[in-house]
Amino acid sequence: MANFEEGLTTDLKTIQQRITSLRDEHNNCSNTIEANSEGVDSNEPSLSKEIQIQLNENMEKLLDNENDVSMLLMVAQLLHAADVQKAKSRDAEKLLIERNDWLVEELAETQSRLQESERINGQLEEEVKHLRFLDTTKTIRTDIQSSTLADETSRPLAIDTLQDLGFGPEDDENDINHSRNNHHALLKLSFTDLRDGQPNCVNNNPSPNRLVTLNTLVIQYMKDGRYDIAGPLGKQALEDLINVHGRNHPDVATMMNLLAMVYRDQQKYKEAAQYLEDALAIRESCFGENHQTTAANLNNLAIVLGKRGKFKEAEPLCRRALKIRETVLGEDHVEVARQLTNLGLLCLNMGKYEEVEACHKKALKIYEAKLGTDDPNTIKTKNNLASIFLKLGKYDEAESLYKQILTRAHETQFGTKHDSKPIWKIAEEREEKKQKGELDTSLVGPVSVPYLESEHILSALTKLSALYRKQGEFEAADYLENVAVRTKTPEEGSRVDSHFLTTSSNEDSRVRVANTGIRSKLLSALGFNI
């Protein structure tokens, strides 16, 4: 359309020029005829007069045509201006659409943050409820005669799991931290069956509330690292459960798993494995070989065997647990991703690097789809996958993953529109300037980078630094190491259990003292002198 308008304008200007030329020629002819007709009698008809008349008529027509062409040129210019304005309007509309898409993305991100805030708020509310519960238990008198807080007689024991445990040497490639927060369903204590400091029994069998209380105390002392108390309590609870339900009961298997955790945390893996094997036999008998609780037990046993270095024995158990979870939960479930991670760690210790890569890739795909790119599990799995890339010599793939982690963390902290660059880009620019002899060594770098306080993101930074050094990019490696040293990382002990609010040291001490007093009274009421 634009080419057509330009051609039309050019043609009109050409026609206008020709008309002007014809008009000039007519004027010349008319002047010549007038000059020749001087001295001739005006009353006598002559050929020159007729020609003059004809020229005048043609001149009038030429003038009319010239006016028409000028008018058409003006219309063409107006049309062109309208097209230009239309193009500008389209560009403005496109810009508005892009801005609208950006606003939609910002809204989605804001909604995601709101949902996360609501989730955290819900956790905090649960923690407040628990602390209020602890406060009410302070009113227990020496005879422990208090009002009933909850009817726990039909409530099952806490479900155990060792989902996030690792095994083998805890190096950079397979660092998996112990997770004790899976026992977040802390049971409220009930004292209605405790009278005069003696456990209430029916036909010499422990009451259900006594069993619930014992189970809760085992979990609490285990979380506090008091295995010297948690172990005997767990054994007593196991004996009571067997007396009440018989050996082949799900709650017996659950308590065996808890005892296995106690022994595992003390690195007594042989004893832990024995309890887990017994629990597995019970669960297979009660729930069948393809039940989710059976898969959890298989996973726990595989982990403990891995801790003992028996990777060949652990691998088939882990694969069986994976198959059960894929069948029961679906292949894209988060629990399947966790099982894939454990299987990958087993294969890593056995040197099966290609299988490790496949496991981490599948797990990463699930985490990204279900939890998003910013979830710690996703970042951790990317780190694991990058580590196995390094072992396989795939340095470009490993470097790409580390840069993805750092870039996403930077965008989350500062936004995609921010002028600042991800830390790895700054490091590479310094490397390039040093090679050109243009580096200003006085510019060391930032004191700290906020998003590096995450252990998984800081791990990606340090591993990328090591990769730079391995590839001979020493300035980039030194810069990243300098940033890592200057970044204040959270202390290992600063993690707060999901049942307790973050408090000052004095408040935390008061909570621990209160818990200790309550547990001592409960132990005395249950007939234990510890």
Side-chain angles (χ1 to χ4, degrees):
M1 184 66 182
N3 294 333
F4 173 74
E5 291 177 356
E6 291 177 0
L8 178 61
T9 301
T10 303
D11 292 342
L12 288 172
K13 288 181 179 179
T14 302
I15 293 171
Q16 187 180 38
Q17 291 173 356
R18 290 179 180 176
I19 291 174
T20 303
S21 177
L22 286 173
R23 183 188 65 189
D24 293 339
E25 290 178 2
H26 275 69
N27 285 333
N28 293 333
C29 291
S30 177
N31 293 334
T32 302
I33 291 172
E34 286 180 359
N36 292 333
S37 61
E38 290 180 358
V40 179
D41 188 0
S42 58
N43 295 323
E44 295 181 2
S46 64
L47 180 61
S48 59
K49 289 183 177 181
E50 293 178 1
I51 293 174
Q52 183 68 35
I53 293 170
Q54 186 64 41
L55 284 173
N56 290 336
E57 292 177 355
N58 290 340
M59 182 65 70
E60 291 177 358
K61 292 180 180 179
L62 285 173
L63 290 174
D64 292 339
N65 290 335
E66 187 176 12
N67 291 334
D68 292 341
V69 171
S70 299
M71 184 63 69
L72 289 173
L73 274 173
M74 187 180 299
V75 171
Q77 291 173 353
L78 290 173
L79 289 174
H80 179 69
D83 289 340
V84 171
Q85 187 62 35
K86 186 177 180 181
K88 290 181 179 179
S89 299
R90 287 177 180 173
D91 292 340
E93 181 183 3
K94 184 177 180 181
L95 181 61
L96 288 174
I97 291 174
E98 291 177 353
R99 289 180 178 176
N100 181 65
D101 292 340
W102 176 78
L103 288 173
V104 170
E105 292 177 0
E106 287 291 319
L107 177 61
E109 185 176 353
T110 302
Q111 289 176 339
S112 177
R113 290 177 180 174
L114 176 61
Q115 291 174 356
E116 179 65 15
S117 299
E118 290 176 348
R119 184 184 66 80
I120 295 174
N121 184 58
Q123 290 180 347
L124 292 176
E125 288 179 355
E126 290 299 321
E127 292 167 1
V128 169
K129 290 179 182 178
H130 178 67
L131 288 177
R132 287 175 179 170
F133 163 74
L134 291 179
D135 185 62
T136 58
T137 57
K138 293 179 183 179
T139 60
I140 303 174
R141 306 184 186 280
T142 55
D143 57 354
I144 317 183
Q145 292 182 348
S146 64
S147 59
T148 302
L149 298 178
D151 182 12
E152 299 290 348
T153 57
S154 61
R155 190 166 182 169
L157 298 179
I159 298 299
D160 59 284
T161 176
L162 308 181
Q163 285 288 350
D164 294 331
L165 293 180
F167 29 76
E170 295 184 355
D171 54 14
D172 288 340
E173 282 75 17
N174 63 344
D175 178 25
I176 302 296
N177 296 320
H178 286 238
S179 173
R180 297 175 181 175
N181 292 329
N182 293 320
H183 296 278
H184 57 277
L186 181 62
L187 302 177
K188 293 181 181 179
L189 305 182
S190 180
F191 308 98
T192 54
D193 291 317
L194 303 178
R195 294 291 185 270
D196 301 324
Q198 298 296 327
N200 185 7
C201 302
V202 179
N203 296 329
N204 294 324
N205 286 332
S207 70
N209 282 335
R210 170 187 165 88
L211 298 177
V212 171
T213 303
L214 277 172
N215 178 65
T216 303
L217 289 171
V218 171
I219 295 172
Q220 283 298 299
Y221 278 114
M222 185 175 64
K223 287 183 177 180
D224 291 345
R226 296 295 306 275
Y227 303 114
D228 56 330
I229 300 178
L233 283 178
K235 289 182 177 179
Q236 182 61 56
L238 178 61
E239 182 180 339
D240 290 351
L241 282 168
I242 293 175
N243 290 337
V244 171
H245 301 297
R247 188 173 182 82
N248 194 37
H249 191 275
D251 285 351
V252 174
T254 297
M255 184 53 67
M256 287 179 174
N257 270 271
L258 286 177
L259 277 169
M261 292 179 70
V262 172
Y263 283 113
R264 176 213 67 200
D265 288 349
Q266 297 178 87
Q267 298 183 355
K268 297 179 179 179
Y269 301 125
K270 184 176 180 180
E271 293 84 349
Q274 184 60 55
Y275 276 115
L276 287 171
E277 288 173 356
D278 293 343
L280 177 61
I282 294 172
R283 284 181 169 174
E284 286 179 334
S285 174
C286 294
F287 302 113
E289 296 184 354
N290 297 315
H291 195 271
Q292 189 173 350
T293 55
T294 304
N297 215 128
L298 286 166
N299 179 68
N300 297 346
L301 182 56
I303 290 171
V304 171
L305 289 174
K307 289 283 189 182
R308 297 179 67 188
K310 297 185 176 183
F311 304 117
K312 290 184 178 180
E313 296 179 25
E315 183 185 5
L317 299 177
C318 198
R319 291 187 183 278
R320 184 181 161 196
L322 174 62
K323 185 177 180 180
I324 294 173
R325 283 187 164 132
E326 286 178 339
T327 303
V328 176
L329 303 174
E331 295 184 356
D332 59 345
H333 197 276
V334 173
E335 292 299 319
V336 173
R338 292 197 178 101
Q339 193 68 58
L340 283 166
T341 300
N342 281 352
L343 179 59
L345 291 173
L346 268 175
C347 293
L348 178 66
N349 283 276
M350 299 170 70
K352 299 179 179 181
Y353 299 139
E354 288 78 9
E355 291 190 40
V356 178
E357 178 184 352
C359 288
H360 287 326
K361 281 183 176 180
K362 290 180 182 178
L364 178 60
K365 184 178 180 181
I366 296 172
Y367 282 137
E368 287 180 334
K370 297 297 183 180
L371 304 180
T373 56
D374 298 329
D375 187 82
N377 289 288
T378 305
I379 300 172
K380 188 176 181 181
T381 305
K382 280 187 177 180
N383 268 326
N384 290 341
L385 182 56
S387 296
I388 199 61
F389 279 151
L390 291 177
K391 284 190 173 291
L392 291 169
K394 300 179 179 180
Y395 300 127
D396 291 340
E397 290 89 336
E399 183 177 341
S400 175
L401 281 177
Y402 292 140
K403 289 179 178 179
Q404 284 179 27
I405 295 172
L406 296 173
T407 300
R408 180 57 188 167
H410 180 85
E411 291 175 351
T412 302
Q413 180 77 36
F414 300 107
T416 57
K417 304 294 183 181
H418 200 269
D419 294 335
S420 62
K421 301 175 183 177
I423 197 70
W424 64 266
K425 278 192 177 180
I426 300 175
E428 290 190 350
E429 288 177 358
R430 288 177 66 88
E431 178 68 33
E432 184 178 353
K433 288 180 180 179
K434 184 175 182 180
Q435 292 178 2
K436 294 179 180 179
E438 302 173 354
L439 179 63
D440 184 358
T441 56
S442 63
L443 300 176
V444 178
V447 175
S448 66
V449 181
Y451 57 78
L452 291 180
E453 293 182 2
S454 165
E455 59 177 327
H456 302 311
I457 297 174
L458 183 59
S459 174
L461 179 80
T462 55
K463 290 176 184 178
L464 180 59
S465 171
L467 181 56
Y468 280 149
R469 192 170 297 282
K470 187 179 184 69
Q471 294 174 338
E473 300 177 19
F474 299 110
E475 175 58 33
D478 290 341
Y479 180 78
L480 293 186
E481 289 172 1
N482 182 55
V483 172
V485 170
R486 289 166 175 259
T487 300
K488 182 180 179 182
T489 56
E491 297 179 358
E492 187 70 18
S494 65
R495 299 189 184 104
V496 183
D497 186 82
S498 60
H499 292 283
F500 296 93
L501 293 172
T502 304
T503 60
S504 66
S505 58
N506 291 335
E507 292 172 340
D508 202 31
S509 298
R510 287 196 297 270
V511 171
R512 285 197 297 271
V513 170
N515 286 340
T516 303
I518 293 169
R519 293 173 195 167
S520 298
K521 291 181 180 180
L522 285 171
L523 290 172
S524 176
L526 292 169
F528 290 92
N529 294 315
I530 295 179

